[in-house]
Amino acid sequence: MSVFRAWPDDLVDLYPRRAEPTLRVNFIASVDGAATIDGLSAGLQGPGDKEIFDSLRMVCDALIVGAGTLRQEGYDALRLTPEARAWRKDRDLPDFPLMVVVSRSLELDPEQLVFSDAPIRPIVLTHRQAVPGRLTEVADVIAVGDGEIDLAAGIAALHARGATQLLCEGGPALFGSLIARDLVTELCLTVAPLLVGGGPGRIATGAPSIAREMSLRHVLSREDMLFLRYERQGS
Ligand SMILES: NC(=O)c1ccc[n+]([C@@H]2O[C@H](COP(=O)([O-])OP(=O)(O)OC[C@H]3O[C@@H](n4cnc5c(N)ncnc54)[C@H](OP(=O)(O)O)[C@@H]3O)[C@@H](O)[C@H]2O)c1
């Protein structure tokens, strides 16, 4: 485990791509455990967190997000800076990661920029009974599971498309389901120096699950924020 007292120049090297498939999850929470302020994560964020957020996007093959977060945070098309695209090109990676949205209801707006302005066609993961409608005009809809999304099969479908380095940006309901199925290999957690009090929920919600052991890989700090990287034990 490494503790960095100064902000590293080579930040991205602390979030390596791996030889094997991985599911990395990125979240921010206040010191008292709130996942949002006024319904969004923006009030918790800071510059260090933004740098890590961008680095994680740069290194992944696919970015997975739950439909709740997509709707509430108003996701735009997944774009990267020219520098990030150059970094990817140097490593023979496609210009942009795949955008993957997880939705049971498919109550998604095809006009939302994440779909209508996407540089590459996004994927929507759903179950076999869901009715895609107009979404098929703007996304590849992959149906896995009957009545409920089979998340393990969904992840296997991404692997089959060559996307093995997966980044999930939440939200809490999706994270809770991924934990329940023991699909998470890594958690990058930013702790924001705020006491938010009661009201907002935690970063994982849903049915209770078995506790999964994690190992701390590094600790970074900047402007009173903590940046922690944990890996699932044995991964
Ligand atoms: N602090 C942070 O870092 C952070 C990160 C992300 C989000 N957030 C906050 O979290 C809030 C959204 O929370 P949320 O829990 O509603 O969002 P979510 O986990 O992004 O989305 C939940 C939705 O995902 C879909 N889903 C499909 N299969 C699922 C499964 N097996 N388990 C769980 N969800 C599944 C469903 O979509 P359908 O309804 O379409 O069926 C479900 O309603 C927002 O306020 C956002 O700002 C905070």
Side-chain angles (χ1 to χ4, degrees):
M1 193 269 289
S2 310
V3 178
F4 296 89
R5 301 202 179 276
W7 195 250
D9 293 333
D10 50 356
L11 181 72
V12 72
D13 294 347
L14 299 184
Y15 301 93
R17 290 172 59 87
R18 296 195 198 188
E20 65 276 14
T22 186
L23 175 57
R24 172 180 274 165
V25 179
N26 186 32
F27 265 100
I28 188 167
S30 65
V31 274
D32 59 343
T36 55
I37 295 178
D38 297 331
L40 296 174
S41 55
L44 297 164
Q45 293 162 3
D49 169 63
K50 167 79 175 131
E51 235 179 271
I52 292 172
F53 183 91
D54 289 343
S55 296
L56 297 184
R57 283 188 166 194
M58 180 174 83
V59 304
C60 74
D61 293 327
L63 168 59
I64 305 173
V65 69
T69 298
L70 188 93
R71 289 186 289 254
Q72 288 183 56
E73 299 269 350
Y75 264 55
D76 286 343
L78 174 53
R79 302 232 175 246
L80 298 176
T81 61
E83 294 75 25
R85 289 172 66 182
W87 185 95
R88 291 177 65 87
K89 197 176 162 93
D90 285 348
R91 287 154 186 83
D92 288 331
L93 299 172
D95 273 7
F96 301 97
L98 260 178
M99 180 80 210
V100 181
V101 182
V102 184
S103 172
R104 291 187 195 95
S105 67
L106 295 186
E107 284 170 15
L108 300 167
D109 178 4
E111 308 296 334
Q112 187 171 339
L113 291 175
V114 69
F115 297 117
S116 61
D117 191 35
I120 50 171
R121 203 170 152 82
I123 288 176
V124 176
L125 275 186
T126 192
H127 56 91
R128 280 187 275 272
Q129 282 67 42
V131 181
R134 281 190 52 221
L135 265 181
T136 53
E137 291 170 21
V138 291
D140 288 351
V141 178
I142 299 180
V144 278
D146 283 312
E148 177 56 278
I149 303 172
D150 180 339
L151 290 171
I155 285 171
L158 298 178
H159 294 170
R161 290 186 171 220
T164 61
Q165 307 298 298
L166 307 177
L167 169 66
C168 176
E169 292 182 353
L174 179 58
F175 186 35
S177 295
L178 292 169
I179 294 170
R181 286 155 191 77
D182 201 13
L183 294 169
V184 175
T185 41
E186 184 175 322
L187 174 63
C188 298
L189 176 65
T190 299
V191 181
L194 290 165
L195 288 173
V196 174
R202 298 175 42 207
I203 62 169
T205 59
S209 153
I210 301 165
R212 316 283 183 189
E213 290 188 32
M214 307 289 281
S215 301
L216 183 59
R217 293 296 181 227
H218 75 231
V219 180
L220 283 166
S221 151
R222 175 165 156 186
E223 290 159 4
D224 289 335
M225 281 200 170
L226 268 184
F227 306 94
L228 311 171
R229 186 168 84 85
Y230 281 94
E231 280 179 354
R232 179 86 174 84
Q233 253 184 30
S235 72

